[in-house]
Amino acid sequence: MKGIDYKVDVFTGIRPTQGLTIANVIGSVHTIVTLQREKEAGRPMVFVADLHSLTDGTPQDTQKHILDIVKDYIALGLDPKGCDIFVQSQLIEEIAELNIYLSRLVTISELLRVPTLKEKIKKDMDVSNASVLLAMYPIMMASDILLQKSKYVPVGDDQVAHVEIARDLARKFNKIFGETIPVPNVLSLGKPARIKSLSGGGKMSKSNPTGAIVLDDDISISLSKIKRAQTAFAGEMTDSLDSLLKIGKFVSNTEEIRHIDEIMVKHMNGENVMGELKGVINTSLERYLREFQVKKSKILDTEIEEVIKNGGEVAKRNAKETIQEIRKAMGLKYI
Ligand code: ATP
Ligand code: MG
């Protein structure tokens, strides 16, 4: 049907709240890097979600991290020549406009049932101090995805519900106003990952660095976090140990992975081998982080500014076209 083709095969974003964690890499960045490398992603699009960060930080804080996050993606293997990278606020007009239209299609109680918001309200805030922008997070995320007419959105487990909302909004819009917005899909290589915080509690997050392996940190800090990480009693398996293994295997080569598997056989047979496991993981992690940091240090700010300028032009063009079609479908005559 005319106007309903996808524009972008793979679309993903990250908030410039703090430096990236290894969980962001495993849950999200790695997927897009792999797809690009295997030439399965068409021309992927990646954006830095600075408007989403306004829910947590000051505008100054978020702007500070933008170049840094793009450098992270590139140092982690994303080839800037084979994708489009932009900053969310480059599309402020189109996003703000689509937010209005989509907001009409969601009820307040639906937003309050979104798991991420529910979790936040339970943990560190309540409805009296949670901002409307925070509640609108899934709507704005839908605007990001739908403006680019994205086909696949690689996300970690925590964001699957948000992509579901984007799908639902596209379907609702199309039902009311006619087929205009193609429905996006969740994409993960295997089951969406959910890496736990190393210090227990919830998931590993940029905004909670205590239990996180932060890629830019002094490497000794990360190694000592692994040494202190929660695991499991001999013979037992826990979510914490599972997350530690996911991290360990992610940064390891084939031989090291085999070693990890051997140690785990001993562990499941009741031997006390968690110290040995952490030693192996730390050897791999140290190398991984060192290689990343060296690669990142060679990327220039000017290079990134250029990438963002070019990517922003592509994303703006897509967003303008989509918003025109949406206005037309809705019959808005005076814009
Ligand atoms: P913040 O604390 O600022 O929300 P975050 O670590 O949750 O930071 P986001 O920018 O919200 O990171 O999410 C970026 C991507 O990383 C998303 O695709 C998300 O699903 C993924 N991700 C975040 N945390 C994890 C985790 N613990 N395990 C797997 N994937 C994750
Ligand atoms: Mg998050």
PDB file of all heavy atoms in Angstrom, residues 290-325:
ATOM      1  N   ARG A 290      40.320  -2.312  27.745  1.00  0.00           N
ATOM      2  CA  ARG A 290      41.523  -1.601  27.286  1.00  0.00           C
ATOM      3  C   ARG A 290      41.413  -1.317  25.788  1.00  0.00           C
ATOM      4  O   ARG A 290      41.615  -0.200  25.334  1.00  0.00           O
ATOM      5  CB  ARG A 290      42.784  -2.398  27.620  1.00  0.00           C
ATOM      6  CG  ARG A 290      44.020  -1.536  27.538  1.00  0.00           C
ATOM      7  CD  ARG A 290      45.316  -2.171  28.049  1.00  0.00           C
ATOM      8  NE  ARG A 290      45.184  -3.423  28.758  1.00  0.00           N
ATOM      9  CZ  ARG A 290      45.342  -4.623  28.200  1.00  0.00           C
ATOM     10  NH1 ARG A 290      45.631  -4.739  26.912  1.00  0.00           N
ATOM     11  NH2 ARG A 290      45.235  -5.717  28.925  1.00  0.00           N
ATOM     12  N   GLU A 291      41.043  -2.353  25.020  1.00  0.00           N
ATOM     13  CA  GLU A 291      40.919  -2.175  23.559  1.00  0.00           C
ATOM     14  C   GLU A 291      39.876  -1.109  23.228  1.00  0.00           C
ATOM     15  O   GLU A 291      40.080  -0.258  22.371  1.00  0.00           O
ATOM     16  CB  GLU A 291      40.529  -3.503  22.887  1.00  0.00           C
ATOM     17  CG  GLU A 291      41.721  -4.430  22.771  1.00  0.00           C
ATOM     18  CD  GLU A 291      41.356  -5.823  22.249  1.00  0.00           C
ATOM     19  OE1 GLU A 291      40.195  -6.056  21.830  1.00  0.00           O
ATOM     20  OE2 GLU A 291      42.232  -6.693  22.286  1.00  0.00           O
ATOM     21  N   PHE A 292      38.759  -1.154  23.959  1.00  0.00           N
ATOM     22  CA  PHE A 292      37.697  -0.162  23.735  1.00  0.00           C
ATOM     23  C   PHE A 292      38.219   1.247  24.013  1.00  0.00           C
ATOM     24  O   PHE A 292      38.043   2.164  23.213  1.00  0.00           O
ATOM     25  CB  PHE A 292      36.493  -0.476  24.649  1.00  0.00           C
ATOM     26  CG  PHE A 292      35.521   0.668  24.758  1.00  0.00           C
ATOM     27  CD1 PHE A 292      34.575   0.875  23.767  1.00  0.00           C
ATOM     28  CD2 PHE A 292      35.575   1.550  25.824  1.00  0.00           C
ATOM     29  CE1 PHE A 292      33.693   1.954  23.836  1.00  0.00           C
ATOM     30  CE2 PHE A 292      34.710   2.632  25.904  1.00  0.00           C
ATOM     31  CZ  PHE A 292      33.764   2.833  24.913  1.00  0.00           C
ATOM     32  N   GLN A 293      38.865   1.417  25.150  1.00  0.00           N
ATOM     33  CA  GLN A 293      39.298   2.767  25.547  1.00  0.00           C
ATOM     34  C   GLN A 293      40.344   3.336  24.589  1.00  0.00           C
ATOM     35  O   GLN A 293      40.333   4.520  24.278  1.00  0.00           O
ATOM     36  CB  GLN A 293      39.798   2.760  26.997  1.00  0.00           C
ATOM     37  CG  GLN A 293      38.647   2.515  27.975  1.00  0.00           C
ATOM     38  CD  GLN A 293      39.050   2.514  29.441  1.00  0.00           C
ATOM     39  OE1 GLN A 293      40.224   2.709  29.776  1.00  0.00           O
ATOM     40  NE2 GLN A 293      38.097   2.287  30.324  1.00  0.00           N
ATOM     41  N   VAL A 294      41.242   2.475  24.124  1.00  0.00           N
ATOM     42  CA  VAL A 294      42.265   2.947  23.180  1.00  0.00           C
ATOM     43  C   VAL A 294      41.591   3.393  21.879  1.00  0.00           C
ATOM     44  O   VAL A 294      41.856   4.471  21.354  1.00  0.00           O
ATOM     45  CB  VAL A 294      43.314   1.834  22.905  1.00  0.00           C
ATOM     46  CG1 VAL A 294      44.209   2.198  21.734  1.00  0.00           C
ATOM     47  CG2 VAL A 294      44.144   1.561  24.157  1.00  0.00           C
ATOM     48  N   LYS A 295      40.677   2.570  21.389  1.00  0.00           N
ATOM     49  CA  LYS A 295      39.968   2.878  20.143  1.00  0.00           C
ATOM     50  C   LYS A 295      39.197   4.192  20.288  1.00  0.00           C
ATOM     51  O   LYS A 295      39.247   5.059  19.418  1.00  0.00           O
ATOM     52  CB  LYS A 295      39.002   1.723  19.831  1.00  0.00           C
ATOM     53  CG  LYS A 295      38.936   1.400  18.360  1.00  0.00           C
ATOM     54  CD  LYS A 295      38.199   0.108  18.123  1.00  0.00           C
ATOM     55  CE  LYS A 295      37.549   0.158  16.748  1.00  0.00           C
ATOM     56  NZ  LYS A 295      36.568  -0.870  16.548  1.00  0.00           N
ATOM     57  N   LYS A 296      38.520   4.333  21.395  1.00  0.00           N
ATOM     58  CA  LYS A 296      37.700   5.538  21.604  1.00  0.00           C
ATOM     59  C   LYS A 296      38.557   6.800  21.661  1.00  0.00           C
ATOM     60  O   LYS A 296      38.183   7.849  21.141  1.00  0.00           O
ATOM     61  CB  LYS A 296      36.886   5.377  22.897  1.00  0.00           C
ATOM     62  CG  LYS A 296      35.957   6.547  23.151  1.00  0.00           C
ATOM     63  CD  LYS A 296      35.012   6.258  24.285  1.00  0.00           C
ATOM     64  CE  LYS A 296      34.200   7.495  24.637  1.00  0.00           C
ATOM     65  NZ  LYS A 296      33.307   7.278  25.743  1.00  0.00           N
ATOM     66  N   SER A 297      39.725   6.683  22.294  1.00  0.00           N
ATOM     67  CA  SER A 297      40.576   7.874  22.480  1.00  0.00           C
ATOM     68  C   SER A 297      41.085   8.424  21.146  1.00  0.00           C
ATOM     69  O   SER A 297      41.515   9.560  21.064  1.00  0.00           O
ATOM     70  CB  SER A 297      41.752   7.534  23.405  1.00  0.00           C
ATOM     71  OG  SER A 297      42.608   6.640  22.730  1.00  0.00           O
ATOM     72  N   LYS A 298      41.018   7.602  20.102  1.00  0.00           N
ATOM     73  CA  LYS A 298      41.529   8.066  18.803  1.00  0.00           C
ATOM     74  C   LYS A 298      40.452   8.769  17.966  1.00  0.00           C
ATOM     75  O   LYS A 298      40.741   9.278  16.889  1.00  0.00           O
ATOM     76  CB  LYS A 298      42.077   6.867  18.013  1.00  0.00           C
ATOM     77  CG  LYS A 298      43.316   6.290  18.654  1.00  0.00           C
ATOM     78  CD  LYS A 298      43.883   5.183  17.816  1.00  0.00           C
ATOM     79  CE  LYS A 298      45.113   4.595  18.503  1.00  0.00           C
ATOM     80  NZ  LYS A 298      45.332   3.208  18.148  1.00  0.00           N
ATOM     81  N   ILE A 299      39.205   8.764  18.440  1.00  0.00           N
ATOM     82  CA  ILE A 299      38.123   9.374  17.644  1.00  0.00           C
ATOM     83  C   ILE A 299      38.030  10.865  17.987  1.00  0.00           C
ATOM     84  O   ILE A 299      37.975  11.252  19.159  1.00  0.00           O
ATOM     85  CB  ILE A 299      36.776   8.668  17.936  1.00  0.00           C
ATOM     86  CG1 ILE A 299      36.907   7.158  17.705  1.00  0.00           C
ATOM     87  CG2 ILE A 299      35.665   9.258  17.074  1.00  0.00           C
ATOM     88  CD1 ILE A 299      35.708   6.344  18.141  1.00  0.00           C
ATOM     89  N   LEU A 300      38.002  11.693  16.955  1.00  0.00           N
ATOM     90  CA  LEU A 300      38.001  13.138  17.171  1.00  0.00           C
ATOM     91  C   LEU A 300      36.583  13.705  17.271  1.00  0.00           C
ATOM     92  O   LEU A 300      35.671  13.223  16.591  1.00  0.00           O
ATOM     93  CB  LEU A 300      38.702  13.848  16.003  1.00  0.00           C
ATOM     94  CG  LEU A 300      40.126  13.409  15.689  1.00  0.00           C
ATOM     95  CD1 LEU A 300      40.624  14.083  14.411  1.00  0.00           C
ATOM     96  CD2 LEU A 300      41.042  13.752  16.869  1.00  0.00           C
ATOM     97  N   ASP A 301      36.426  14.781  18.061  1.00  0.00           N
ATOM     98  CA  ASP A 301      35.114  15.437  18.186  1.00  0.00           C
ATOM     99  C   ASP A 301      34.607  15.911  16.828  1.00  0.00           C
ATOM    100  O   ASP A 301      33.423  15.790  16.512  1.00  0.00           O
ATOM    101  CB  ASP A 301      35.213  16.661  19.115  1.00  0.00           C
ATOM    102  CG  ASP A 301      35.296  16.247  20.571  1.00  0.00           C
ATOM    103  OD1 ASP A 301      35.336  15.029  20.845  1.00  0.00           O
ATOM    104  OD2 ASP A 301      35.330  17.153  21.439  1.00  0.00           O
ATOM    105  N   THR A 302      35.514  16.477  16.026  1.00  0.00           N
ATOM    106  CA  THR A 302      35.104  17.044  14.733  1.00  0.00           C
ATOM    107  C   THR A 302      34.519  15.960  13.816  1.00  0.00           C
ATOM    108  O   THR A 302      33.563  16.202  13.096  1.00  0.00           O
ATOM    109  CB  THR A 302      36.312  17.690  14.024  1.00  0.00           C
ATOM    110  OG1 THR A 302      37.397  16.773  14.087  1.00  0.00           O
ATOM    111  CG2 THR A 302      36.712  19.003  14.649  1.00  0.00           C
ATOM    112  N   GLU A 303      35.112  14.779  13.915  1.00  0.00           N
ATOM    113  CA  GLU A 303      34.619  13.634  13.138  1.00  0.00           C
ATOM    114  C   GLU A 303      33.157  13.334  13.521  1.00  0.00           C
ATOM    115  O   GLU A 303      32.311  13.101  12.663  1.00  0.00           O
ATOM    116  CB  GLU A 303      35.484  12.438  13.543  1.00  0.00           C
ATOM    117  CG  GLU A 303      35.781  11.395  12.515  1.00  0.00           C
ATOM    118  CD  GLU A 303      36.721  10.353  13.149  1.00  0.00           C
ATOM    119  OE1 GLU A 303      37.864  10.691  13.550  1.00  0.00           O
ATOM    120  OE2 GLU A 303      36.292   9.209  13.271  1.00  0.00           O
ATOM    121  N   ILE A 304      32.898  13.365  14.807  1.00  0.00           N
ATOM    122  CA  ILE A 304      31.556  13.029  15.305  1.00  0.00           C
ATOM    123  C   ILE A 304      30.546  14.108  14.922  1.00  0.00           C
ATOM    124  O   ILE A 304      29.411  13.815  14.539  1.00  0.00           O
ATOM    125  CB  ILE A 304      31.574  12.861  16.852  1.00  0.00           C
ATOM    126  CG1 ILE A 304      32.580  11.790  17.251  1.00  0.00           C
ATOM    127  CG2 ILE A 304      30.190  12.516  17.388  1.00  0.00           C
ATOM    128  CD1 ILE A 304      32.328  10.441  16.638  1.00  0.00           C
ATOM    129  N   GLU A 305      30.967  15.383  15.034  1.00  0.00           N
ATOM    130  CA  GLU A 305      30.067  16.493  14.672  1.00  0.00           C
ATOM    131  C   GLU A 305      29.592  16.316  13.226  1.00  0.00           C
ATOM    132  O   GLU A 305      28.431  16.535  12.913  1.00  0.00           O
ATOM    133  CB  GLU A 305      30.779  17.851  14.802  1.00  0.00           C
ATOM    134  CG  GLU A 305      31.223  18.207  16.223  1.00  0.00           C
ATOM    135  CD  GLU A 305      30.092  18.741  17.096  1.00  0.00           C
ATOM    136  OE1 GLU A 305      28.919  18.646  16.708  1.00  0.00           O
ATOM    137  OE2 GLU A 305      30.416  19.245  18.205  1.00  0.00           O
ATOM    138  N   GLU A 306      30.516  15.909  12.357  1.00  0.00           N
ATOM    139  CA  GLU A 306      30.205  15.723  10.942  1.00  0.00           C
ATOM    140  C   GLU A 306      29.199  14.571  10.753  1.00  0.00           C
ATOM    141  O   GLU A 306      28.226  14.690  10.006  1.00  0.00           O
ATOM    142  CB  GLU A 306      31.535  15.414  10.203  1.00  0.00           C
ATOM    143  CG  GLU A 306      31.468  15.319   8.699  1.00  0.00           C
ATOM    144  CD  GLU A 306      31.083  16.623   8.002  1.00  0.00           C
ATOM    145  OE1 GLU A 306      31.199  17.697   8.636  1.00  0.00           O
ATOM    146  OE2 GLU A 306      30.636  16.549   6.840  1.00  0.00           O
ATOM    147  N   VAL A 307      29.465  13.473  11.475  1.00  0.00           N
ATOM    148  CA  VAL A 307      28.575  12.304  11.400  1.00  0.00           C
ATOM    149  C   VAL A 307      27.146  12.704  11.824  1.00  0.00           C
ATOM    150  O   VAL A 307      26.160  12.365  11.168  1.00  0.00           O
ATOM    151  CB  VAL A 307      29.115  11.173  12.325  1.00  0.00           C
ATOM    152  CG1 VAL A 307      28.073  10.110  12.583  1.00  0.00           C
ATOM    153  CG2 VAL A 307      30.363  10.542  11.709  1.00  0.00           C
ATOM    154  N   ILE A 308      27.052  13.482  12.914  1.00  0.00           N
ATOM    155  CA  ILE A 308      25.738  13.886  13.444  1.00  0.00           C
ATOM    156  C   ILE A 308      25.025  14.826  12.470  1.00  0.00           C
ATOM    157  O   ILE A 308      23.809  14.752  12.276  1.00  0.00           O
ATOM    158  CB  ILE A 308      25.910  14.557  14.831  1.00  0.00           C
ATOM    159  CG1 ILE A 308      26.321  13.501  15.865  1.00  0.00           C
ATOM    160  CG2 ILE A 308      24.645  15.264  15.264  1.00  0.00           C
ATOM    161  CD1 ILE A 308      26.668  14.067  17.228  1.00  0.00           C
ATOM    162  N   LYS A 309      25.815  15.696  11.843  1.00  0.00           N
ATOM    163  CA  LYS A 309      25.218  16.645  10.891  1.00  0.00           C
ATOM    164  C   LYS A 309      24.596  15.863   9.717  1.00  0.00           C
ATOM    165  O   LYS A 309      23.437  16.076   9.375  1.00  0.00           O
ATOM    166  CB  LYS A 309      26.306  17.603  10.388  1.00  0.00           C
ATOM    167  CG  LYS A 309      25.791  18.701   9.509  1.00  0.00           C
ATOM    168  CD  LYS A 309      26.915  19.698   9.196  1.00  0.00           C
ATOM    169  CE  LYS A 309      26.594  20.486   7.950  1.00  0.00           C
ATOM    170  NZ  LYS A 309      26.738  19.710   6.712  1.00  0.00           N
ATOM    171  N   ASN A 310      25.355  14.934   9.173  1.00  0.00           N
ATOM    172  CA  ASN A 310      24.859  14.162   8.025  1.00  0.00           C
ATOM    173  C   ASN A 310      23.682  13.264   8.413  1.00  0.00           C
ATOM    174  O   ASN A 310      22.676  13.214   7.712  1.00  0.00           O
ATOM    175  CB  ASN A 310      25.982  13.293   7.435  1.00  0.00           C
ATOM    176  CG  ASN A 310      27.098  14.160   6.868  1.00  0.00           C
ATOM    177  OD1 ASN A 310      26.877  15.322   6.531  1.00  0.00           O
ATOM    178  ND2 ASN A 310      28.303  13.607   6.789  1.00  0.00           N
ATOM    179  N   GLY A 311      23.831  12.571   9.544  1.00  0.00           N
ATOM    180  CA  GLY A 311      22.756  11.673   9.999  1.00  0.00           C
ATOM    181  C   GLY A 311      21.488  12.461  10.291  1.00  0.00           C
ATOM    182  O   GLY A 311      20.373  12.016   9.995  1.00  0.00           O
ATOM    183  N   GLY A 312      21.661  13.644  10.879  1.00  0.00           N
ATOM    184  CA  GLY A 312      20.517  14.498  11.217  1.00  0.00           C
ATOM    185  C   GLY A 312      19.734  14.889   9.974  1.00  0.00           C
ATOM    186  O   GLY A 312      18.503  14.957   9.999  1.00  0.00           O
ATOM    187  N   GLU A 313      20.445  15.123   8.883  1.00  0.00           N
ATOM    188  CA  GLU A 313      19.753  15.513   7.636  1.00  0.00           C
ATOM    189  C   GLU A 313      18.873  14.380   7.115  1.00  0.00           C
ATOM    190  O   GLU A 313      17.736  14.602   6.709  1.00  0.00           O
ATOM    191  CB  GLU A 313      20.779  15.925   6.564  1.00  0.00           C
ATOM    192  CG  GLU A 313      21.296  17.337   6.813  1.00  0.00           C
ATOM    193  CD  GLU A 313      22.517  17.689   5.984  1.00  0.00           C
ATOM    194  OE1 GLU A 313      22.855  16.945   5.043  1.00  0.00           O
ATOM    195  OE2 GLU A 313      23.150  18.720   6.307  1.00  0.00           O
ATOM    196  N   VAL A 314      19.399  13.159   7.179  1.00  0.00           N
ATOM    197  CA  VAL A 314      18.613  12.004   6.716  1.00  0.00           C
ATOM    198  C   VAL A 314      17.376  11.822   7.606  1.00  0.00           C
ATOM    199  O   VAL A 314      16.242  11.671   7.116  1.00  0.00           O
ATOM    200  CB  VAL A 314      19.473  10.711   6.744  1.00  0.00           C
ATOM    201  CG1 VAL A 314      18.646   9.498   6.339  1.00  0.00           C
ATOM    202  CG2 VAL A 314      20.693  10.856   5.851  1.00  0.00           C
ATOM    203  N   ALA A 315      17.608  11.854   8.920  1.00  0.00           N
ATOM    204  CA  ALA A 315      16.502  11.624   9.865  1.00  0.00           C
ATOM    205  C   ALA A 315      15.450  12.724   9.734  1.00  0.00           C
ATOM    206  O   ALA A 315      14.242  12.456   9.807  1.00  0.00           O
ATOM    207  CB  ALA A 315      17.047  11.577  11.287  1.00  0.00           C
ATOM    208  N   LYS A 316      15.894  13.958   9.522  1.00  0.00           N
ATOM    209  CA  LYS A 316      14.960  15.089   9.389  1.00  0.00           C
ATOM    210  C   LYS A 316      14.100  14.914   8.137  1.00  0.00           C
ATOM    211  O   LYS A 316      12.896  15.145   8.175  1.00  0.00           O
ATOM    212  CB  LYS A 316      15.780  16.388   9.302  1.00  0.00           C
ATOM    213  CG  LYS A 316      14.976  17.651   9.367  1.00  0.00           C
ATOM    214  CD  LYS A 316      14.654  17.981  10.809  1.00  0.00           C
ATOM    215  CE  LYS A 316      13.979  19.320  10.953  1.00  0.00           C
ATOM    216  NZ  LYS A 316      13.643  19.601  12.352  1.00  0.00           N
ATOM    217  N   ARG A 317      14.751  14.504   7.069  1.00  0.00           N
ATOM    218  CA  ARG A 317      14.012  14.311   5.810  1.00  0.00           C
ATOM    219  C   ARG A 317      12.926  13.232   6.001  1.00  0.00           C
ATOM    220  O   ARG A 317      11.761  13.454   5.660  1.00  0.00           O
ATOM    221  CB  ARG A 317      15.009  13.891   4.718  1.00  0.00           C
ATOM    222  CG  ARG A 317      14.500  14.070   3.312  1.00  0.00           C
ATOM    223  CD  ARG A 317      15.609  14.098   2.285  1.00  0.00           C
ATOM    224  NE  ARG A 317      16.514  12.972   2.384  1.00  0.00           N
ATOM    225  CZ  ARG A 317      17.834  13.056   2.564  1.00  0.00           C
ATOM    226  NH1 ARG A 317      18.412  14.246   2.673  1.00  0.00           N
ATOM    227  NH2 ARG A 317      18.590  11.987   2.635  1.00  0.00           N
ATOM    228  N   ASN A 318      13.300  12.121   6.597  1.00  0.00           N
ATOM    229  CA  ASN A 318      12.325  11.051   6.860  1.00  0.00           C
ATOM    230  C   ASN A 318      11.175  11.565   7.724  1.00  0.00           C
ATOM    231  O   ASN A 318      10.002  11.327   7.445  1.00  0.00           O
ATOM    232  CB  ASN A 318      12.978   9.887   7.622  1.00  0.00           C
ATOM    233  CG  ASN A 318      13.906   9.074   6.747  1.00  0.00           C
ATOM    234  OD1 ASN A 318      13.878   9.202   5.528  1.00  0.00           O
ATOM    235  ND2 ASN A 318      14.733   8.244   7.375  1.00  0.00           N
ATOM    236  N   ALA A 319      11.544  12.267   8.812  1.00  0.00           N
ATOM    237  CA  ALA A 319      10.536  12.714   9.781  1.00  0.00           C
ATOM    238  C   ALA A 319       9.571  13.708   9.136  1.00  0.00           C
ATOM    239  O   ALA A 319       8.364  13.651   9.373  1.00  0.00           O
ATOM    240  CB  ALA A 319      11.235  13.346  10.993  1.00  0.00           C
ATOM    241  N   LYS A 320      10.106  14.592   8.313  1.00  0.00           N
ATOM    242  CA  LYS A 320       9.239  15.585   7.654  1.00  0.00           C
ATOM    243  C   LYS A 320       8.242  14.913   6.723  1.00  0.00           C
ATOM    244  O   LYS A 320       7.069  15.273   6.703  1.00  0.00           O
ATOM    245  CB  LYS A 320      10.103  16.580   6.848  1.00  0.00           C
ATOM    246  CG  LYS A 320      10.635  17.709   7.695  1.00  0.00           C
ATOM    247  CD  LYS A 320      11.267  18.740   6.793  1.00  0.00           C
ATOM    248  CE  LYS A 320      11.496  20.027   7.572  1.00  0.00           C
ATOM    249  NZ  LYS A 320      12.358  20.940   6.888  1.00  0.00           N
ATOM    250  N   GLU A 321       8.739  13.939   5.973  1.00  0.00           N
ATOM    251  CA  GLU A 321       7.847  13.224   5.051  1.00  0.00           C
ATOM    252  C   GLU A 321       6.735  12.516   5.835  1.00  0.00           C
ATOM    253  O   GLU A 321       5.564  12.600   5.485  1.00  0.00           O
ATOM    254  CB  GLU A 321       8.636  12.160   4.266  1.00  0.00           C
ATOM    255  CG  GLU A 321       9.393  12.731   3.080  1.00  0.00           C
ATOM    256  CD  GLU A 321      10.348  11.702   2.457  1.00  0.00           C
ATOM    257  OE1 GLU A 321      10.250  10.483   2.772  1.00  0.00           O
ATOM    258  OE2 GLU A 321      11.207  12.139   1.674  1.00  0.00           O
ATOM    259  N   THR A 322       7.145  11.821   6.913  1.00  0.00           N
ATOM    260  CA  THR A 322       6.156  11.067   7.691  1.00  0.00           C
ATOM    261  C   THR A 322       5.117  12.007   8.292  1.00  0.00           C
ATOM    262  O   THR A 322       3.916  11.730   8.250  1.00  0.00           O
ATOM    263  CB  THR A 322       6.858  10.251   8.803  1.00  0.00           C
ATOM    264  OG1 THR A 322       7.884   9.471   8.209  1.00  0.00           O
ATOM    265  CG2 THR A 322       5.896   9.357   9.547  1.00  0.00           C
ATOM    266  N   ILE A 323       5.579  13.113   8.848  1.00  0.00           N
ATOM    267  CA  ILE A 323       4.641  14.020   9.524  1.00  0.00           C
ATOM    268  C   ILE A 323       3.675  14.639   8.509  1.00  0.00           C
ATOM    269  O   ILE A 323       2.498  14.834   8.804  1.00  0.00           O
ATOM    270  CB  ILE A 323       5.393  15.069  10.381  1.00  0.00           C
ATOM    271  CG1 ILE A 323       4.555  15.457  11.610  1.00  0.00           C
ATOM    272  CG2 ILE A 323       5.748  16.335   9.629  1.00  0.00           C
ATOM    273  CD1 ILE A 323       4.617  14.566  12.740  1.00  0.00           C
ATOM    274  N   GLN A 324       4.155  14.883   7.305  1.00  0.00           N
ATOM    275  CA  GLN A 324       3.260  15.399   6.248  1.00  0.00           C
ATOM    276  C   GLN A 324       2.155  14.394   5.961  1.00  0.00           C
ATOM    277  O   GLN A 324       0.981  14.745   5.834  1.00  0.00           O
ATOM    278  CB  GLN A 324       4.040  15.640   4.940  1.00  0.00           C
ATOM    279  CG  GLN A 324       4.951  16.846   4.932  1.00  0.00           C
ATOM    280  CD  GLN A 324       4.190  18.165   4.989  1.00  0.00           C
ATOM    281  OE1 GLN A 324       2.973  18.184   4.926  1.00  0.00           O
ATOM    282  NE2 GLN A 324       4.920  19.258   5.129  1.00  0.00           N
ATOM    283  N   GLU A 325       2.552  13.111   5.863  1.00  0.00           N
ATOM    284  CA  GLU A 325       1.560  12.074   5.569  1.00  0.00           C
ATOM    285  C   GLU A 325       0.552  11.940   6.717  1.00  0.00           C
ATOM    286  O   GLU A 325      -0.633  11.725   6.497  1.00  0.00           O
ATOM    287  CB  GLU A 325       2.272  10.724   5.350  1.00  0.00           C
ATOM    288  CG  GLU A 325       3.066  10.677   4.044  1.00  0.00           C
ATOM    289  CD  GLU A 325       4.074   9.535   3.994  1.00  0.00           C
ATOM    290  OE1 GLU A 325       4.060   8.663   4.886  1.00  0.00           O
ATOM    291  OE2 GLU A 325       4.892   9.526   3.058  1.00  0.00           O
TER     292      GLU A 325
END
